[in-house]
Amino acid sequence: MCGIVAYIGPKDATAFLLEGLQRLEYRGYDSAGVAVTGKPGTLKVCKTKGRVADLAAAVPARFKGTTGIGHTRWATHGVPSDANAHPHLDNAERIAVVHNGIIENADELRAKLTADGAVFRSETDTEVLAHLVSAHVAEGVELEDAVRAALGHVVGTYGIAVVDADQPDRIVVARNGSPIVLGLGEKEMFVASDVAALVRYTRQVVHLEDGELATVRADGFRTLTEDARTVTRAPSTVDWEIDSYDTAGYEHFLLKEIHEQPASVERTLSGRLDERFATAHLGGLNLDARELREIRRVKILGCGSAYYAGEMGAQLIEELARIPAHSEPASEFRYRNPVIEADTLYVAVSQSGETYDTLAAVQEIKRKGGRVLGVVNTVGSAIARECDGGIYLHAGPEISVASTKAFTSTVIAFALLALHFGRIHDLSPADGRRIVAGLKALPGQIREILADEEKIAELAAEYAKHDGMMFIGRVRGFPVAREGAQKLKEISYVHAEAYPASELKHGPLALINPDLPTVALVPDDELLDKNLTTLGEIKARAGRVLAIAHRTPDAKLADHAVLVPRSEPELDPLLLNIPLQLLAYYAAVALKRDVDKPRNLAKSVTVE
């Protein structure tokens, strides 16, 4: 959540800070602010509730400096307001801090600092950091040591950047559970919580690990641990293009990314299909065939759409490899003192690779000796670094908060993993060839569905008039229904519930009426007759039905239908999901929602 940017070098920092914050708007936020060092001993600060555009309009004309920090805030402690916006200052207005994360012992620290004479101007947990650092620099301690000492008092998660008006030649940053990335320039340095803010200026980046700090100067940086041990961090190269962060003529990033799915699926599949042996190449797993055969169970962990993609992945693994598999919310996993089994393979799913709940689950598994693979989109991210191996999605940057192309590429990655597992176990060459052919056909089939966009847009505008919707599907279709309901909720703010179609008669059927339409997933598979019976039960109660199907149901059973091409039964859920993305998008457009920046949501959630 939130966004951090910082700059130090020969140029004016303000321009970079404002542009960097604009590139991080997709993460979700409610206020923004910047601070730059002015003449020696002074800080210039501007912050406001609202959008980055509001901040840019409020920045004075002479607001210049060569060292600066900026932030977009998503409220956790205190309402969205100018006072609660970052950066936060100490009472002497010498120290400025921006912070992502949550300080769990903030109330205790605030009480002690207040007793020592600190005067608080905000309701935030972050402001305690400014006063803690200030207490140490007032004793003549250099900024790096002051920040390190201040963090020794803190319990919680943080990604921070700190400047000192009296030491304007440096920025000190630190990470614990919230990402911090350094960008290396020519006699200038950049800092951000996401590479999206950096790619226009540099492709050379360094990711801090949890428990690390860095002192950043215009001519370089040094990294160390919280106990002052020096560590070496080699830069890596970002391979995403700056064009990936533009809408390219689409009205919203979300629509652009829906349309990018044929290409993103092709990238996820590229070089990974082995037609000769009807299997998948997945060298990044770091597991040989013998080790894979020893695995008796697969546990998949993710949050939100990543969790639902994991449910689809578990279904694929069970069907193709005949290995028990289960998906669980990563946000719940570590709190139930999970039993970690030596013969279980754990798979962590995260588009950003920085989702804190998922990262914490990975660390819990590793502490207990488990083996974890990562399915992530962002190279070099925390989860990717923490895992024993895994699969990169190569979907390209996903800017919109609502995941579409990364979700689809995640399910593709699980299909590859299931195929690889299956061929090592008991999946026949004939079935392997069938799945390989089905995967190769998916990009073209997705293009067919996208060509029906206008019809889906009209249906979305019609169904968006209702206050809620029901989504149903059976077996393979149920995770698709859950993801469809999630998409509708998070970007259109229309209430939606997802149920297994078989469960409808066990209670939820009582809700069906003309004002609660049902979106039903009706593939032409072995459960078609049962699904049609369920549609009949809905229509008997005067419910409206929008069917996502391979062929048009009888008009007595469905008011409208969106048809998708038929794939292999195991892969059908991928295609059934695409119309639901368009349905949610155009419902949000019809309701005039802020599609790319839905309220109360963030792209990479790093706090609970």
Side-chain angles (χ1 to χ4, degrees), residues 126-252:
T126 301
E127 192 179 349
V128 302
L129 287 171
H131 294 295
L132 285 170
V133 174
S134 177
H136 290 285
V137 297
E139 298 171 352
V141 177
E142 288 202 349
L143 185 61
E144 178 182 279
D145 292 330
V147 171
R148 195 165 53 81
L151 292 176
H153 300 287
V154 168
V155 176
T157 58
Y158 51 81
I160 63 169
V162 186
V163 293
D164 178 357
D166 289 356
Q167 301 176 65
D169 63 339
R170 70 201 70 179
I171 303 169
V172 176
V173 299
R175 169 194 173 126
N176 183 47
S178 191
I180 291 291
V181 185
L182 312 183
L184 285 61
E186 189 67 32
K187 296 183 179 178
E188 61 183 353
M189 289 284 294
F190 310 89
V191 176
S193 52
D194 190 307
V195 294
L198 306 178
V199 290
R200 181 177 174 185
Y201 299 91
T202 181
R203 297 298 178 85
Q204 295 298 110
V205 301
V206 171
H207 295 265
L208 290 192
E209 300 280 1
D210 281 349
E212 290 183 354
L213 297 86
T215 294
V216 181
R217 302 175 188 264
D219 59 358
F221 67 97
R222 93 177 196 112
T223 51
L224 67 155
T225 62
E226 290 180 3
D227 58 1
R229 289 182 295 107
T230 298
V231 293
T232 301
R233 288 277 166 257
S236 58
T237 302
V238 177
D239 60 0
W240 291 346
E241 298 295 328
I242 185 64
D243 292 348
S244 300
Y245 297 91
D246 295 323
T247 56
Y250 288 94
E251 187 174 355
H252 298 100

Side-chain angles (χ1 to χ4, degrees), residues 274-286:
D274 182 343
E275 295 188 70
R276 180 183 177 189
F277 293 106
T279 188
H281 287 301
L282 295 173
L285 300 183
N286 299 326

Side-chain angles (χ1 to χ4, degrees), residues 497-508:
E497 293 284 348
Y499 278 92
S502 56
E503 282 291 299
L504 208 60
K505 60 182 174 292
H506 293 291

Side-chain angles (χ1 to χ4, degrees), residues 20-312:
L21 293 179
Q22 286 176 335
R23 293 197 177 275
L24 297 183
E25 285 188 294
Y26 70 89
R27 295 169 67 92
Y29 70 105
D30 50 54
S31 57
V34 291
V36 299
T37 56
K39 61 184 180 181
T42 64
L43 279 173
K44 299 176 183 178
V45 181
C46 184
K47 53 184 186 174
T48 182
K49 175 185 173 183
R51 295 302 187 188
V52 174
D54 301 320
L55 173 66
V59 170
R62 294 187 179 183
F63 194 91
K64 294 185 182 299
T66 56
T67 301
I69 56 178
H71 190 265
T72 51
R73 175 181 185 255
W74 190 57
T76 56
H77 291 67
V79 299
S81 69
D82 292 357
N84 288 331
H86 298 213
H88 289 288
L89 309 182
D90 67 328
N91 292 151
E93 297 189 352
R94 173 182 171 181
I95 303 297
V97 178
V98 292
H99 165 230
N100 289 348
I102 287 181
I103 298 173
E104 296 174 10
N105 61 335
D107 290 343
E108 174 189 336
L109 293 172
R110 179 184 283 256
K112 183 178 186 306
L113 288 162
T114 299
D116 291 340
V119 177
F120 282 79
R121 303 171 179 141
S122 78
E123 304 168 88
T124 68
D125 56 336
T126 301
E127 192 179 349
V128 302
L129 287 171
H131 294 295
L132 285 170
V133 174
S134 177
H136 290 285
V137 297
E139 298 171 352
V141 177
E142 288 202 349
L143 185 61
E144 178 182 279
D145 292 330
V147 171
R148 195 165 53 81
L151 292 176
H153 300 287
V154 168
V155 176
T157 58
Y158 51 81
I160 63 169
V162 186
V163 293
D164 178 357
D166 289 356
Q167 301 176 65
D169 63 339
R170 70 201 70 179
I171 303 169
V172 176
V173 299
R175 169 194 173 126
N176 183 47
S178 191
I180 291 291
V181 185
L182 312 183
L184 285 61
E186 189 67 32
K187 296 183 179 178
E188 61 183 353
M189 289 284 294
F190 310 89
V191 176
S193 52
D194 190 307
V195 294
L198 306 178
V199 290
R200 181 177 174 185
Y201 299 91
T202 181
R203 297 298 178 85
Q204 295 298 110
V205 301
V206 171
H207 295 265
L208 290 192
E209 300 280 1
D210 281 349
E212 290 183 354
L213 297 86
T215 294
V216 181
R217 302 175 188 264
D219 59 358
F221 67 97
R222 93 177 196 112
T223 51
L224 67 155
T225 62
E226 290 180 3
D227 58 1
R229 289 182 295 107
T230 298
V231 293
T232 301
R233 288 277 166 257
S236 58
T237 302
V238 177
D239 60 0
W240 291 346
E241 298 295 328
I242 185 64
D243 292 348
S244 300
Y245 297 91
D246 295 323
T247 56
Y250 288 94
E251 187 174 355
H252 298 100
F253 279 111
L254 180 56
L255 185 60
K256 177 194 176 194
E257 289 160 7
I258 289 172
H259 279 270
E260 286 177 337
Q261 288 177 110
S264 63
V265 168
E266 287 169 347
R267 286 195 299 273
T268 305
L269 292 173
S270 180
R272 288 169 165 166
L273 291 177
D274 182 343
E275 295 188 70
R276 180 183 177 189
F277 293 106
T279 188
H281 287 301
L282 295 173
L285 300 183
N286 299 326
L287 292 167
D288 61 29
R290 178 174 296 178
E291 290 173 305
L292 287 169
R293 286 194 64 85
E294 292 173 353
I295 290 168
R296 294 289 175 263
R297 190 182 312 277
V298 177
K299 171 79 74 173
I300 302 168
L301 302 168
C303 298
S305 290
Y307 163 46
Y308 302 138
E311 288 191 314
M312 294 169 70

Side-chain angles (χ1 to χ4, degrees), residues 258-266 440-453 565 575 578 582:
I258 289 172
H259 279 270
E260 286 177 337
Q261 288 177 110
S264 63
V265 168
E266 287 169 347
K440 289 178 66 177
L442 286 173
Q445 292 175 313
I446 293 172
R447 290 186 180 96
E448 284 185 52
I449 297 169
L450 295 176
D452 213 14
E453 179 177 8
L575 298 177
I578 305 298
L582 288 168

